[in-house]
Amino acid sequence: MTQPATHIFRLLKWGRTLARHGALRGIENDPNTPDPVKRLARVARFGTFQPAQPDYAGAFREIGPAAIKLGQSLATRPDLVGEDAARNLLSLQDSLPPVAYPEIERAIAASFGQPVDTLFAEIDPVPVGAASIAQVHRAVTTDGRQVAVKVLRPGIRERFARDIATYEWAAAHLEALGGEAQRLRPRLTIANFKRWTNRELDLRREAASASELAEAMRGVERYCIPSIDWDRTNGRVMTIEWIDGIKISEREALVAAGHDLPELARRLVLAFLRQAISAGFFHADMHQGNLFVQADGTIVAIDFGIMGRIDRQARQWLAEILYGLTTGNYRRVAEIHFEAQYVPSYHSVDEFATALRAVGEPMRGKPVSELSVGQMLDGLFAITRDFDMQTQPHLLLLQKTMVMVEGIATQLDPEINMWDVSAPFVRSWVRDELGPEAALANRLREDTETLLRIPALIRRLEEKFPPRGGAPEPPPLPRIELMWQRRKRTRRTWPGYLLAALAGGGAVAAAALLGWIG
């Protein structure tokens, strides 16, 4: 178990890095920052030169891989880190200098327990990408297929475990200070972050996520998930189909290739809605480097280390919230927040509906170039404090992905209106899933399942409360200490008695020598 002094040392070390990039100024100036945190920040920045313009992304990049991932998560939390910091962290790219190929080759061979040349006919020693957790090499399998091989950085699991332990320790102490720190629930934020990163650190789970998303998106026109080579995949190595295409960030290349950019933007938004609302399982790292466009216009997603999942009830609430915002039904949106217990019941539904109107009304009918989903989220965060809304960690990935998708769609088509694109899909889903026919079908299904569970419930009750039979119920019996239990207790206590006797005798002898007693 890591000692508190070790956690404090790490925090001070990271704090000095943040200070050199001017990233502690916001913490010290925020009136909601607890006093102990401000004092720690002042100690960390002592003797450092702070630039006028904070560079949060640069600080997290310098601290290391776990900090890069944490910074990307915090980019979705303007309520926690402030709007300026969140905006700066959105530019944080997950890239590091690559590990030398001989180390990568040894890692592949060790993970499979066999030489690399038995799996791959050739591997390009120059990686096509090097991120904080893994790097990717182009390769050809022994049966001649073009693949991408993703390999964990050696020692990365141990480094993440060490850093996350300090994040957990710091979050627990921060939340214990109460007030605003408690409302923002930093412990749950770090718990979610730990779960996401642990999933990324097991490449078998990433491969399984890719396979599951491919099933969920089957039948969606011109949206593709590469296939997994399971024979060449384990916890530290993942082999996936190689994809040729243009990065979706390369706008000029897409135009030169003859692609319809507004159509690409529309299909990307609808693909995200299909994943999040219809399937409840979505690609949560949908940044520009993870999306390609093939010659026929097919959008291909890669890198499935971070995936989001939403249960059916949360999806229903989400769909109704989006539909209510697009139609201006703020009263219904407010009611959903109370039904979901996002807002405590002692507040007024009508007052909350008015606050939502102030956020949503300026956005209706305007292109994303003027107002955005990101701005809407900022507005929602701004009213959370007034209505004592606690952070909902299970929705953080969704918020992050919405901002990412909006950014890419805007780059492809600056005039896109996210509400206009989303409204028909959401309206159709609400009609199919929440209409009278769907409600009746759900009720029939739930009632049938309940009836079928009744026999098993009765059997469990009988097992817990069997028939009394002919014998009367026995009276309660006194608790008797067994001899061997007493001997164990006596063996544990006699050294204490002996030590007390010796101490007492010593005290009497000392008092006699000093003449205090005759």
Side-chain angles (χ1 to χ4, degrees):
M1 184 176 179
T2 307
Q3 295 298 316
T6 302
H7 292 309
I8 293 172
F9 174 77
R10 289 176 188 162
L11 290 171
L12 286 172
K13 180 182 175 184
W14 297 338
R16 290 192 70 78
T17 303
L18 290 167
R20 287 197 302 271
H21 289 79
L24 289 182
R25 190 179 294 110
I27 294 175
E28 292 188 62
N29 295 335
D30 191 334
N32 294 310
T33 301
D35 290 337
V37 177
K38 290 184 178 181
R39 287 194 290 269
L40 187 64
R42 283 195 289 269
V43 171
R45 70 167 170 81
F46 181 76
T48 62
F49 172 76
Q50 295 192 89
Q53 191 66 30
D55 182 13
Y56 303 95
F60 278 82
R61 193 180 302 110
E62 184 177 329
I63 290 171
I68 290 174
K69 289 294 182 185
L70 180 62
Q72 290 178 325
S73 298
L74 293 177
T76 64
R77 296 296 308 277
D79 59 326
L80 192 61
V81 299
E83 292 184 13
D84 292 338
R87 195 175 300 111
N88 182 269
L89 287 170
L90 283 173
S91 67
L92 183 58
Q93 295 299 312
D94 187 6
S95 60
L96 287 176
V99 176
Y101 177 70
E103 288 187 59
I104 292 296
E105 186 174 17
R106 285 194 296 271
I108 296 173
S111 68
F112 285 103
Q114 56 185 300
V116 172
D117 57 13
T118 63
L119 300 164
F120 303 101
E122 61 177 280
I123 299 182
D124 188 344
V126 179
V128 295
S132 57
I133 285 180
Q135 62 190 57
V136 180
H137 292 258
R138 186 169 186 171
V140 180
T141 62
T142 50
D143 54 359
R145 288 178 295 109
Q146 297 280 334
V147 293
V149 183
K150 185 173 185 177
V151 187
L152 289 184
R153 288 176 175 268
I156 194 65
R157 287 179 175 174
E158 295 75 16
R159 185 170 181 181
F160 262 76
R162 183 190 66 206
D163 289 356
I164 289 175
T166 298
Y167 297 162
E168 290 175 321
W169 185 88
H173 285 77
L174 180 62
E175 192 163 315
L177 296 174
E180 184 71 2
Q182 184 177 22
R183 186 186 72 84
L184 295 174
R185 304 166 87 183
R187 295 187 69 188
L188 272 177
T189 299
I190 296 300
N192 274 339
F193 171 72
K194 181 179 181 179
R195 189 171 67 251
W196 303 336
T197 53
N198 283 343
R199 189 186 307 158
E200 281 195 87
L201 290 166
D202 184 351
L203 295 184
R204 284 171 301 196
R205 293 186 64 181
E206 179 175 345
S209 295
S211 176
E212 183 177 351
L213 186 62
E215 288 185 8
M217 297 299 287
R218 187 177 295 142
V220 176
E221 183 183 3
R222 289 189 293 172
Y223 190 91
C224 174
I225 306 296
S227 59
I228 300 294
D229 184 341
W230 289 101
D231 293 333
R232 294 171 176 82
T233 294
N234 58 37
R236 294 182 178 271
V237 179
M238 183 182 74
T239 304
I240 192 168
E241 173 190 1
W242 179 263
I243 294 297
D244 283 313
I246 303 171
K247 277 189 178 182
I248 206 164
S249 58
E250 298 175 1
R251 195 175 192 277
E252 292 181 2
L254 292 173
V255 172
H259 294 294
D260 184 344
L261 300 194
E263 173 64 13
L264 279 177
R266 187 188 69 84
R267 285 196 286 115
L268 180 65
V269 172
L270 292 177
F272 165 68
L273 292 172
R274 168 73 178 262
Q275 293 172 33
I277 296 180
S278 295
F281 184 65
F282 61 93
H283 188 196
D285 200 14
M286 209 179 287
H287 63 73
Q288 295 175 342
N290 287 340
L291 293 167
F292 292 81
V293 180
Q294 293 182 310
D296 64 350
T298 298
I299 299 173
V300 183
I302 63 169
D303 195 353
F304 308 96
I306 304 178
M307 304 296 293
R309 198 178 291 276
I310 315 175
D311 64 31
R312 181 175 177 79
Q313 181 61 75
R315 279 185 281 148
Q316 290 178 351
W317 283 329
L318 173 64
E320 285 201 83
I321 287 172
L322 290 175
Y323 186 62
L325 289 174
T326 58
T327 58
N329 189 354
Y330 301 108
R331 169 74 188 194
R332 179 56 190 152
V333 175
E335 290 172 349
I336 294 166
H337 279 75
F338 280 78
E339 291 171 14
Q341 298 180 9
Y342 296 157
V343 179
S345 58
Y346 54 78
H347 282 288
S348 164
V349 175
D350 292 323
E351 287 293 331
F352 188 64
T354 302
L356 288 171
R357 180 180 293 274
V359 174
E361 201 63 21
M363 297 187 60
R364 297 181 63 203
K366 293 189 177 180
V368 120
S369 57
E370 297 180 30
L371 288 168
S372 68
V373 172
Q375 287 175 298
M376 181 201 73
L377 291 176
D378 288 347
L380 289 175
F381 284 138
I383 65 174
T384 57
R385 188 177 294 113
D386 295 338
F387 290 88
D388 302 315
M389 288 174 62
Q390 286 192 320
T391 299
Q392 303 301 321
H394 65 289
L395 297 179
L396 294 180
L397 275 181
L398 179 69
Q399 294 166 357
K400 167 191 169 184
T401 310
M402 286 173 67
V403 173
M404 283 184 173
V405 171
E406 179 197 55
I408 298 171
T410 306
Q411 184 184 31
L412 293 172
D413 179 12
E415 296 302 314
I416 189 173
N417 185 298
M418 297 286 282
W419 299 124
D420 290 346
V421 174
S422 304
F425 177 90
V426 174
R427 187 184 303 115
S428 174
W429 193 88
V430 168
R431 183 183 62 246
D432 293 343
E433 300 294 328
L434 303 179
E437 300 90 346
L440 180 60
N442 286 336
R443 184 61 184 268
L444 288 173
R445 177 177 55 79
E446 291 172 1
D447 290 351
T448 302
E449 290 175 351
T450 301
L451 288 172
L452 293 174
R453 287 197 301 268
I454 288 177
L457 176 62
I458 293 174
R459 284 194 293 271
R460 289 199 301 273
L461 287 171
E462 287 182 337
E463 290 171 1
K464 188 171 183 179
F465 305 103
R468 294 176 58 180
E473 185 175 347
L477 302 176
R479 184 179 180 276
I480 305 297
E481 185 180 41
L482 302 176
M483 288 189 347
W484 54 84
Q485 292 174 333
R486 184 177 180 81
R487 278 202 301 271
K488 288 181 181 177
R489 182 169 58 83
T490 304
R491 282 199 298 269
R492 285 197 303 269
T493 55
W494 74 262
Y497 294 143
L498 178 61
L499 182 62
L502 290 173
V508 171
L513 288 173
L514 293 171
W516 293 353
I517 59 175

PDB file of all heavy atoms in Angstrom, residues 322-345:
ATOM      1  N   LEU A 322     -33.130  15.318 -25.734  1.00  0.00           N
ATOM      2  CA  LEU A 322     -32.751  15.872 -27.032  1.00  0.00           C
ATOM      3  C   LEU A 322     -33.978  16.304 -27.819  1.00  0.00           C
ATOM      4  O   LEU A 322     -33.995  17.377 -28.438  1.00  0.00           O
ATOM      5  CB  LEU A 322     -31.954  14.837 -27.828  1.00  0.00           C
ATOM      6  CG  LEU A 322     -30.535  14.520 -27.320  1.00  0.00           C
ATOM      7  CD1 LEU A 322     -29.921  13.399 -28.135  1.00  0.00           C
ATOM      8  CD2 LEU A 322     -29.656  15.758 -27.384  1.00  0.00           C
ATOM      9  N   TYR A 323     -35.024  15.461 -27.786  1.00  0.00           N
ATOM     10  CA  TYR A 323     -36.238  15.792 -28.523  1.00  0.00           C
ATOM     11  C   TYR A 323     -36.909  17.037 -27.929  1.00  0.00           C
ATOM     12  O   TYR A 323     -37.378  17.926 -28.654  1.00  0.00           O
ATOM     13  CB  TYR A 323     -37.199  14.613 -28.501  1.00  0.00           C
ATOM     14  CG  TYR A 323     -38.428  14.811 -29.356  1.00  0.00           C
ATOM     15  CD1 TYR A 323     -38.315  14.985 -30.734  1.00  0.00           C
ATOM     16  CD2 TYR A 323     -39.699  14.820 -28.796  1.00  0.00           C
ATOM     17  CE1 TYR A 323     -39.429  15.169 -31.529  1.00  0.00           C
ATOM     18  CE2 TYR A 323     -40.826  14.999 -29.574  1.00  0.00           C
ATOM     19  CZ  TYR A 323     -40.689  15.173 -30.946  1.00  0.00           C
ATOM     20  OH  TYR A 323     -41.793  15.366 -31.726  1.00  0.00           O
ATOM     21  N   GLY A 324     -36.919  17.127 -26.602  1.00  0.00           N
ATOM     22  CA  GLY A 324     -37.519  18.289 -25.953  1.00  0.00           C
ATOM     23  C   GLY A 324     -36.769  19.572 -26.259  1.00  0.00           C
ATOM     24  O   GLY A 324     -37.372  20.624 -26.470  1.00  0.00           O
ATOM     25  N   LEU A 325     -35.429  19.476 -26.327  1.00  0.00           N
ATOM     26  CA  LEU A 325     -34.641  20.664 -26.639  1.00  0.00           C
ATOM     27  C   LEU A 325     -34.842  21.102 -28.086  1.00  0.00           C
ATOM     28  O   LEU A 325     -34.867  22.294 -28.395  1.00  0.00           O
ATOM     29  CB  LEU A 325     -33.157  20.402 -26.366  1.00  0.00           C
ATOM     30  CG  LEU A 325     -32.760  20.290 -24.885  1.00  0.00           C
ATOM     31  CD1 LEU A 325     -31.307  19.877 -24.761  1.00  0.00           C
ATOM     32  CD2 LEU A 325     -33.009  21.602 -24.145  1.00  0.00           C
ATOM     33  N   THR A 326     -34.981  20.119 -28.999  1.00  0.00           N
ATOM     34  CA  THR A 326     -35.161  20.476 -30.407  1.00  0.00           C
ATOM     35  C   THR A 326     -36.546  21.060 -30.669  1.00  0.00           C
ATOM     36  O   THR A 326     -36.720  21.876 -31.581  1.00  0.00           O
ATOM     37  CB  THR A 326     -34.958  19.254 -31.327  1.00  0.00           C
ATOM     38  OG1 THR A 326     -35.876  18.227 -30.964  1.00  0.00           O
ATOM     39  CG2 THR A 326     -33.546  18.718 -31.216  1.00  0.00           C
ATOM     40  N   THR A 327     -37.535  20.649 -29.888  1.00  0.00           N
ATOM     41  CA  THR A 327     -38.900  21.135 -30.101  1.00  0.00           C
ATOM     42  C   THR A 327     -39.267  22.278 -29.164  1.00  0.00           C
ATOM     43  O   THR A 327     -40.363  22.838 -29.271  1.00  0.00           O
ATOM     44  CB  THR A 327     -39.906  19.978 -29.904  1.00  0.00           C
ATOM     45  OG1 THR A 327     -39.758  19.441 -28.577  1.00  0.00           O
ATOM     46  CG2 THR A 327     -39.672  18.881 -30.930  1.00  0.00           C
ATOM     47  N   GLY A 328     -38.377  22.617 -28.232  1.00  0.00           N
ATOM     48  CA  GLY A 328     -38.664  23.690 -27.294  1.00  0.00           C
ATOM     49  C   GLY A 328     -39.574  23.286 -26.158  1.00  0.00           C
ATOM     50  O   GLY A 328     -40.135  24.153 -25.473  1.00  0.00           O
ATOM     51  N   ASN A 329     -39.723  21.978 -25.893  1.00  0.00           N
ATOM     52  CA  ASN A 329     -40.567  21.510 -24.794  1.00  0.00           C
ATOM     53  C   ASN A 329     -39.720  21.432 -23.517  1.00  0.00           C
ATOM     54  O   ASN A 329     -39.381  20.349 -23.024  1.00  0.00           O
ATOM     55  CB  ASN A 329     -41.156  20.139 -25.132  1.00  0.00           C
ATOM     56  CG  ASN A 329     -42.213  19.694 -24.130  1.00  0.00           C
ATOM     57  OD1 ASN A 329     -42.434  20.350 -23.107  1.00  0.00           O
ATOM     58  ND2 ASN A 329     -42.861  18.574 -24.416  1.00  0.00           N
ATOM     59  N   TYR A 330     -39.371  22.597 -22.968  1.00  0.00           N
ATOM     60  CA  TYR A 330     -38.465  22.642 -21.828  1.00  0.00           C
ATOM     61  C   TYR A 330     -39.107  22.094 -20.558  1.00  0.00           C
ATOM     62  O   TYR A 330     -38.403  21.606 -19.673  1.00  0.00           O
ATOM     63  CB  TYR A 330     -37.994  24.085 -21.604  1.00  0.00           C
ATOM     64  CG  TYR A 330     -37.296  24.641 -22.827  1.00  0.00           C
ATOM     65  CD1 TYR A 330     -37.908  25.604 -23.628  1.00  0.00           C
ATOM     66  CD2 TYR A 330     -36.042  24.184 -23.194  1.00  0.00           C
ATOM     67  CE1 TYR A 330     -37.282  26.104 -24.754  1.00  0.00           C
ATOM     68  CE2 TYR A 330     -35.403  24.678 -24.327  1.00  0.00           C
ATOM     69  CZ  TYR A 330     -36.033  25.631 -25.098  1.00  0.00           C
ATOM     70  OH  TYR A 330     -35.410  26.115 -26.217  1.00  0.00           O
ATOM     71  N   ARG A 331     -40.414  22.174 -20.474  1.00  0.00           N
ATOM     72  CA  ARG A 331     -41.103  21.624 -19.305  1.00  0.00           C
ATOM     73  C   ARG A 331     -40.870  20.118 -19.213  1.00  0.00           C
ATOM     74  O   ARG A 331     -40.561  19.589 -18.149  1.00  0.00           O
ATOM     75  CB  ARG A 331     -42.601  21.920 -19.410  1.00  0.00           C
ATOM     76  CG  ARG A 331     -43.473  21.190 -18.411  1.00  0.00           C
ATOM     77  CD  ARG A 331     -43.377  21.737 -17.022  1.00  0.00           C
ATOM     78  NE  ARG A 331     -44.090  20.898 -16.062  1.00  0.00           N
ATOM     79  CZ  ARG A 331     -44.395  21.256 -14.840  1.00  0.00           C
ATOM     80  NH1 ARG A 331     -44.066  22.472 -14.416  1.00  0.00           N
ATOM     81  NH2 ARG A 331     -45.021  20.440 -14.023  1.00  0.00           N
ATOM     82  N   ARG A 332     -40.965  19.410 -20.358  1.00  0.00           N
ATOM     83  CA  ARG A 332     -40.758  17.961 -20.345  1.00  0.00           C
ATOM     84  C   ARG A 332     -39.293  17.632 -20.049  1.00  0.00           C
ATOM     85  O   ARG A 332     -39.003  16.693 -19.319  1.00  0.00           O
ATOM     86  CB  ARG A 332     -41.177  17.356 -21.691  1.00  0.00           C
ATOM     87  CG  ARG A 332     -40.966  15.859 -21.786  1.00  0.00           C
ATOM     88  CD  ARG A 332     -41.671  15.113 -20.668  1.00  0.00           C
ATOM     89  NE  ARG A 332     -41.295  13.705 -20.609  1.00  0.00           N
ATOM     90  CZ  ARG A 332     -41.302  12.974 -19.495  1.00  0.00           C
ATOM     91  NH1 ARG A 332     -41.662  13.523 -18.335  1.00  0.00           N
ATOM     92  NH2 ARG A 332     -40.948  11.717 -19.514  1.00  0.00           N
ATOM     93  N   VAL A 333     -38.383  18.424 -20.587  1.00  0.00           N
ATOM     94  CA  VAL A 333     -36.965  18.206 -20.301  1.00  0.00           C
ATOM     95  C   VAL A 333     -36.703  18.353 -18.805  1.00  0.00           C
ATOM     96  O   VAL A 333     -35.968  17.565 -18.203  1.00  0.00           O
ATOM     97  CB  VAL A 333     -36.092  19.190 -21.101  1.00  0.00           C
ATOM     98  CG1 VAL A 333     -34.624  19.043 -20.722  1.00  0.00           C
ATOM     99  CG2 VAL A 333     -36.263  18.966 -22.602  1.00  0.00           C
ATOM    100  N   ALA A 334     -37.328  19.355 -18.195  1.00  0.00           N
ATOM    101  CA  ALA A 334     -37.160  19.557 -16.754  1.00  0.00           C
ATOM    102  C   ALA A 334     -37.735  18.385 -15.966  1.00  0.00           C
ATOM    103  O   ALA A 334     -37.127  17.903 -15.004  1.00  0.00           O
ATOM    104  CB  ALA A 334     -37.837  20.864 -16.338  1.00  0.00           C
ATOM    105  N   GLU A 335     -38.909  17.899 -16.373  1.00  0.00           N
ATOM    106  CA  GLU A 335     -39.530  16.765 -15.672  1.00  0.00           C
ATOM    107  C   GLU A 335     -38.634  15.532 -15.713  1.00  0.00           C
ATOM    108  O   GLU A 335     -38.528  14.795 -14.723  1.00  0.00           O
ATOM    109  CB  GLU A 335     -40.893  16.450 -16.302  1.00  0.00           C
ATOM    110  CG  GLU A 335     -41.951  17.500 -16.025  1.00  0.00           C
ATOM    111  CD  GLU A 335     -43.223  17.259 -16.825  1.00  0.00           C
ATOM    112  OE1 GLU A 335     -43.215  16.407 -17.741  1.00  0.00           O
ATOM    113  OE2 GLU A 335     -44.230  17.925 -16.530  1.00  0.00           O
ATOM    114  N   ILE A 336     -37.982  15.310 -16.862  1.00  0.00           N
ATOM    115  CA  ILE A 336     -37.091  14.145 -16.989  1.00  0.00           C
ATOM    116  C   ILE A 336     -35.931  14.259 -16.006  1.00  0.00           C
ATOM    117  O   ILE A 336     -35.531  13.265 -15.376  1.00  0.00           O
ATOM    118  CB  ILE A 336     -36.567  14.018 -18.432  1.00  0.00           C
ATOM    119  CG1 ILE A 336     -37.721  13.692 -19.376  1.00  0.00           C
ATOM    120  CG2 ILE A 336     -35.486  12.935 -18.530  1.00  0.00           C
ATOM    121  CD1 ILE A 336     -37.381  13.869 -20.830  1.00  0.00           C
ATOM    122  N   HIS A 337     -35.371  15.448 -15.848  1.00  0.00           N
ATOM    123  CA  HIS A 337     -34.275  15.628 -14.895  1.00  0.00           C
ATOM    124  C   HIS A 337     -34.721  15.294 -13.471  1.00  0.00           C
ATOM    125  O   HIS A 337     -33.921  14.757 -12.683  1.00  0.00           O
ATOM    126  CB  HIS A 337     -33.751  17.068 -14.952  1.00  0.00           C
ATOM    127  CG  HIS A 337     -32.793  17.319 -16.075  1.00  0.00           C
ATOM    128  ND1 HIS A 337     -33.198  17.450 -17.384  1.00  0.00           N
ATOM    129  CD2 HIS A 337     -31.435  17.429 -16.096  1.00  0.00           C
ATOM    130  CE1 HIS A 337     -32.144  17.659 -18.151  1.00  0.00           C
ATOM    131  NE2 HIS A 337     -31.061  17.647 -17.398  1.00  0.00           N
ATOM    132  N   PHE A 338     -35.985  15.586 -13.147  1.00  0.00           N
ATOM    133  CA  PHE A 338     -36.488  15.247 -11.818  1.00  0.00           C
ATOM    134  C   PHE A 338     -36.785  13.748 -11.722  1.00  0.00           C
ATOM    135  O   PHE A 338     -36.525  13.127 -10.691  1.00  0.00           O
ATOM    136  CB  PHE A 338     -37.731  16.076 -11.491  1.00  0.00           C
ATOM    137  CG  PHE A 338     -37.418  17.476 -11.034  1.00  0.00           C
ATOM    138  CD1 PHE A 338     -37.077  18.464 -11.946  1.00  0.00           C
ATOM    139  CD2 PHE A 338     -37.447  17.807  -9.693  1.00  0.00           C
ATOM    140  CE1 PHE A 338     -36.768  19.754 -11.538  1.00  0.00           C
ATOM    141  CE2 PHE A 338     -37.143  19.097  -9.263  1.00  0.00           C
ATOM    142  CZ  PHE A 338     -36.798  20.071 -10.192  1.00  0.00           C
ATOM    143  N   GLU A 339     -37.343  13.169 -12.795  1.00  0.00           N
ATOM    144  CA  GLU A 339     -37.607  11.725 -12.793  1.00  0.00           C
ATOM    145  C   GLU A 339     -36.318  10.921 -12.653  1.00  0.00           C
ATOM    146  O   GLU A 339     -36.278   9.890 -11.970  1.00  0.00           O
ATOM    147  CB  GLU A 339     -38.328  11.324 -14.085  1.00  0.00           C
ATOM    148  CG  GLU A 339     -39.753  11.835 -14.191  1.00  0.00           C
ATOM    149  CD  GLU A 339     -40.341  11.593 -15.583  1.00  0.00           C
ATOM    150  OE1 GLU A 339     -39.739  10.806 -16.340  1.00  0.00           O
ATOM    151  OE2 GLU A 339     -41.387  12.178 -15.893  1.00  0.00           O
ATOM    152  N   ALA A 340     -35.273  11.390 -13.315  1.00  0.00           N
ATOM    153  CA  ALA A 340     -33.984  10.694 -13.257  1.00  0.00           C
ATOM    154  C   ALA A 340     -33.227  11.011 -11.973  1.00  0.00           C
ATOM    155  O   ALA A 340     -32.148  10.451 -11.743  1.00  0.00           O
ATOM    156  CB  ALA A 340     -33.129  11.085 -14.462  1.00  0.00           C
ATOM    157  N   GLN A 341     -33.800  11.918 -11.155  1.00  0.00           N
ATOM    158  CA  GLN A 341     -33.190  12.345  -9.888  1.00  0.00           C
ATOM    159  C   GLN A 341     -31.841  13.035 -10.115  1.00  0.00           C
ATOM    160  O   GLN A 341     -30.961  12.984  -9.257  1.00  0.00           O
ATOM    161  CB  GLN A 341     -33.053  11.154  -8.924  1.00  0.00           C
ATOM    162  CG  GLN A 341     -34.382  10.553  -8.554  1.00  0.00           C
ATOM    163  CD  GLN A 341     -34.269   9.378  -7.591  1.00  0.00           C
ATOM    164  OE1 GLN A 341     -33.195   9.098  -7.057  1.00  0.00           O
ATOM    165  NE2 GLN A 341     -35.365   8.676  -7.378  1.00  0.00           N
ATOM    166  N   TYR A 342     -31.694  13.642 -11.294  1.00  0.00           N
ATOM    167  CA  TYR A 342     -30.517  14.475 -11.524  1.00  0.00           C
ATOM    168  C   TYR A 342     -30.636  15.776 -10.726  1.00  0.00           C
ATOM    169  O   TYR A 342     -29.626  16.350 -10.313  1.00  0.00           O
ATOM    170  CB  TYR A 342     -30.373  14.812 -13.015  1.00  0.00           C
ATOM    171  CG  TYR A 342     -30.121  13.631 -13.915  1.00  0.00           C
ATOM    172  CD1 TYR A 342     -30.437  13.666 -15.272  1.00  0.00           C
ATOM    173  CD2 TYR A 342     -29.553  12.457 -13.421  1.00  0.00           C
ATOM    174  CE1 TYR A 342     -30.191  12.586 -16.112  1.00  0.00           C
ATOM    175  CE2 TYR A 342     -29.307  11.367 -14.251  1.00  0.00           C
ATOM    176  CZ  TYR A 342     -29.632  11.435 -15.594  1.00  0.00           C
ATOM    177  OH  TYR A 342     -29.392  10.364 -16.414  1.00  0.00           O
ATOM    178  N   VAL A 343     -31.879  16.245 -10.537  1.00  0.00           N
ATOM    179  CA  VAL A 343     -32.139  17.447  -9.749  1.00  0.00           C
ATOM    180  C   VAL A 343     -32.920  17.033  -8.490  1.00  0.00           C
ATOM    181  O   VAL A 343     -33.915  16.305  -8.604  1.00  0.00           O
ATOM    182  CB  VAL A 343     -32.956  18.483 -10.556  1.00  0.00           C
ATOM    183  CG1 VAL A 343     -33.251  19.722  -9.719  1.00  0.00           C
ATOM    184  CG2 VAL A 343     -32.214  18.868 -11.825  1.00  0.00           C
ATOM    185  N   PRO A 344     -32.506  17.462  -7.298  1.00  0.00           N
ATOM    186  CA  PRO A 344     -33.234  17.100  -6.072  1.00  0.00           C
ATOM    187  C   PRO A 344     -34.677  17.587  -6.114  1.00  0.00           C
ATOM    188  O   PRO A 344     -34.986  18.636  -6.685  1.00  0.00           O
ATOM    189  CB  PRO A 344     -32.434  17.809  -4.968  1.00  0.00           C
ATOM    190  CG  PRO A 344     -31.074  18.023  -5.545  1.00  0.00           C
ATOM    191  CD  PRO A 344     -31.280  18.245  -7.017  1.00  0.00           C
ATOM    192  N   SER A 345     -35.556  16.832  -5.479  1.00  0.00           N
ATOM    193  CA  SER A 345     -37.001  17.082  -5.585  1.00  0.00           C
ATOM    194  C   SER A 345     -37.442  18.358  -4.877  1.00  0.00           C
ATOM    195  O   SER A 345     -38.550  18.838  -5.113  1.00  0.00           O
ATOM    196  CB  SER A 345     -37.775  15.895  -5.011  1.00  0.00           C
ATOM    197  OG  SER A 345     -37.414  15.669  -3.651  1.00  0.00           O
TER     198      SER A 345
END
